Amino acid sequence: MECRLNRSVPPPDPAGPESAQTQFLRLLLRDAPAVEYERPLMEARAAGWDAEALAGLETAKVLALEVRTVLADRRRRESELAALYETANDLAGMRDLDRVLRAIVDRARNLLGTDTAYLTLRDPEAGEDGGTVMRVTSGSVSARFQRLRLSPGDGLGGLVAQTALPYVTANYFTDTRFAHTDPIDTAVREEGLIAILGVPLQLNGRVIGVLFAANRRERPFSRDEVALLGSFAAHASIAIDNAGLIEDTRAALAELGEANQRLTLHSTGVERAAAAHERFTDLVLRGGGVEEVEAAVSEVLGGSAVLYDAALPGAGRAGPAGPAGEEAEAVRAAQAGGRVVQVGETCAAPVMAGGEPLGTLVLRGVRLDAADRRILERAALVVALLLVMRRSASEAEHRVRGDLLDAVLDSPDDADALRRRARLLGADLDAPHVVVVAEAPGAHAGRLRSAAQHLAETGDGLAGTRAGGTVLALPGKDPAEVGARAAEALSAAVNTPVTAGTAGPTAGVPAFRGAYAEARRCLRALVSLGRTGEVASPADLGFLGLLIGGDRDVPGFVEATLGPLLAYDRERGTALVETVRAYFAHGSSPARAKDALHVHVNTVAQRLDRVGRLLGPDWQSPPRALELQLALRLHALLGNGLDLDPPEGG
């Protein structure tokens, strides 16, 4: 190799070796390449130095080169220490664990100038002796290698983690010191690694992982490189611990913040619940009702509260059609489970007392959290208390009303005393009343009785039970209208048809007894005729009403039955009434009737056709025919001047 010498250095003084040795100091001073240290010897030989002088100059050259090597090592060491210090300083400033790990492998790769660097950490799910898993790599190209798991003692990394000592190999596959396994060797071969250096990451005497530097060709790692990577691993362990502590602190702070938020929410919920409970209690103490509780719930929780009553008629305010849609679903679920149920934006709480369902408190238009649901539960308890109190008061009043009704029907002589008792209940016995006697076989007797008592209480009437039937005395003048309204309410309460007989209106206290007897006879007549589920007064029963009625309005019955025929005969001078009388008298035979009437049979047919248009197509049915024949006989008696009105008091 041709050597180019720096001509600025003067040739050695032939007078002695000392001036030539000064040349080496100058070469060291300017950090000249090693090849330039041969030039003084070459010039000395060319100048004809003797062997002893040349040997001295050779010794000076060797010493100068050794000094040069020491200085170079120190400069490299200073550079490595500076890089190590800079890396440690950078790691100390990092707070995110993933960033710290990524920085560790990148700096390790740069410090040692290797093809790859990677880091494994203890598997937290496998315990202390569960080995390590690949956490982060730099310069890696194999997906299998990046998912590698090292069991204790397996491979170079497993041995480092198990012994807490650094291990280095210039050729991993020919090194027999390690326990080679197929998964590890396959991954290392796929990555193409040959030379590997691994040092332990230790913290408080415990190995937490392994730091590696590796090449894809054979390379002996020097002791200085092993020491350098070991020092770096020590700093990296501290950085990992700090980042872990910071992450743990962040997690703890986050948990603390969540706990504080939950505590704040809980405290707020407790305060709201306490305020709501105090408000509900105040409502009860002030004698408030269910409506005020509904308003308070709506104000405290938002939405719209309503009580759907499923057990006690009148104990709550249910809509005419009841709950529907998600409200109906929420009510069913709350009653079935005995707890608060949220369905969509509807929340329902069962109202119960001693296991008895009294209804369901429904809050519409909101979604409630757990604390607000407890407030709704408290409101349902308050409603249950109010309903029980109201029921107790109602039952007491119902007993009083029932006792008064019994006295009116059994002992009407002391009318003044009965009037005074009635006034205390808001009833006026001198006003016209309609008496209703009802029954519904198979229905819940308690619900039927409660519904009747509610009707009497809200309608300023009286209610009770006599001879197995439910008896009502309600203000009114029209038996049909009052009876229909009462039967409809009773049927809705027991969810089954109610049969009812009605009579009235009354005129004074003594008339209640007769009206009751008449209404009861109407009920028995309906049942005997198979007309269950219907409501009727004597006027609605035709001739049966005439027979069972107390007033026996014969002219009214005749007019009601034959009225269209009588009016037609009066207006047109016809004989439809006589034709019908002759028709029935001769066995419903037009041929025989014509002889009695002295008309042609076609005339009889034409008259009967007119009768059918006036009375309806069913006028010849057995029930109508019976009524018509009875009316015809009574009409004849009235025409002969017979008085059929009942005697006074009859």
Side-chain angles (χ1 to χ4, degrees), residues 606-629:
Q606 292 172 358
R607 290 178 181 178
L608 293 179
D609 183 62
R610 173 67 62 183
V611 170
R613 287 198 293 271
L614 292 173
L615 298 182
D618 64 336
W619 69 277
Q620 296 191 67
S621 65
R624 288 291 304 279
L626 180 59
E627 288 187 6
L628 287 170
Q629 292 180 64

Side-chain angles (χ1 to χ4, degrees), residues 202-553:
Q202 299 186 77
L203 193 64
N204 298 325
R206 183 175 63 91
V207 177
I208 62 172
V210 180
L211 178 61
F212 300 87
N215 264 2
R216 294 188 174 88
R217 62 185 183 281
E218 284 196 24
R219 168 187 170 175
F221 289 94
S222 66
R223 289 189 179 88
D224 290 341
E225 289 175 321
V226 174
L228 177 62
L229 192 61
S231 299
F232 185 60
H235 288 291
S237 298
I238 296 173
I240 291 174
D241 184 50
N242 289 339
L245 290 175
I246 291 173
E247 283 200 350
D248 291 344
T249 302
R250 286 175 178 168
L253 288 174
E255 291 179 1
L256 184 61
E258 292 178 1
N260 183 60
Q261 186 177 9
R262 289 195 298 269
L263 182 60
T264 301
L265 292 175
H266 179 70
S267 299
T268 303
V270 169
E271 291 176 0
R272 290 184 65 195
H277 186 70
E278 182 178 354
R279 182 168 181 179
F280 297 152
T281 304
D282 182 62
L283 282 176
V284 175
L285 295 177
R286 288 191 294 103
V290 173
E291 294 80 2
E292 283 126 322
V293 176
E294 291 173 348
V297 170
S298 301
E299 183 177 343
V300 172
L301 299 178
S304 174
V306 63
L307 175 66
Y308 285 110
D309 168 35
L312 298 178
R317 294 184 298 102
E326 69 177 25
E327 289 187 22
E329 182 181 351
V331 168
R332 286 193 297 268
Q335 288 290 347
R339 57 183 178 82
V340 177
V341 174
Q342 179 87 47
V343 178
E345 292 190 349
T346 299
C347 199
V351 178
M352 308 183 72
E356 177 187 0
L358 305 180
T360 308
L361 183 60
V362 175
L363 186 63
R364 302 174 291 200
V366 292
R367 291 182 179 272
L368 302 183
D369 56 21
D372 287 345
R373 291 184 186 183
R374 287 192 289 272
I375 294 177
L376 189 62
E377 284 181 350
R378 289 188 177 93
L381 289 175
V382 172
V383 171
L385 176 61
L386 292 175
L387 294 182
V388 170
M389 292 170 59
R390 177 183 293 182
R391 182 170 65 177
S392 299
S394 296
E395 288 176 350
E397 183 175 341
H398 293 160
R399 285 193 298 271
V400 173
R401 289 181 183 272
D403 293 342
L404 177 58
L405 179 62
D406 288 337
V408 169
L409 298 180
D410 294 335
S411 307
D413 297 335
D414 192 359
D416 290 338
L418 294 176
R419 291 188 185 95
R420 288 193 297 270
R421 291 173 60 184
R423 279 195 294 270
L424 294 175
L425 297 174
D428 182 6
L429 298 181
D430 291 327
H433 279 67
V434 172
V435 177
V436 181
V437 181
E439 67 175 28
H444 191 283
R447 290 189 177 181
L448 184 61
R449 183 174 58 254
S450 297
Q453 291 169 344
H454 175 64
L455 281 174
E457 180 182 349
T458 57
D460 295 331
L462 303 177
T465 303
R466 293 175 67 86
T470 299
V471 182
L472 285 160
L474 301 173
K477 296 181 180 180
D478 186 350
E481 187 273 330
V482 174
R485 177 163 44 86
E488 182 181 2
L490 296 178
S491 298
V494 297
N495 197 28
T496 189
V498 170
T499 307
T502 68
T506 62
V509 176
F512 278 84
R513 178 188 290 182
Y516 165 69
E518 193 170 320
R520 192 165 183 272
R521 287 194 297 269
C522 287
L523 173 62
R524 298 276 63 84
L526 288 174
V527 174
S528 299
L529 293 173
R531 294 168 59 180
T532 56
E534 296 186 21
V535 181
S537 64
D540 301 319
L541 293 175
F543 74 92
L544 282 177
L546 177 67
L547 296 177
I548 66 177
D551 52 5
R552 294 184 176 87
D553 182 12

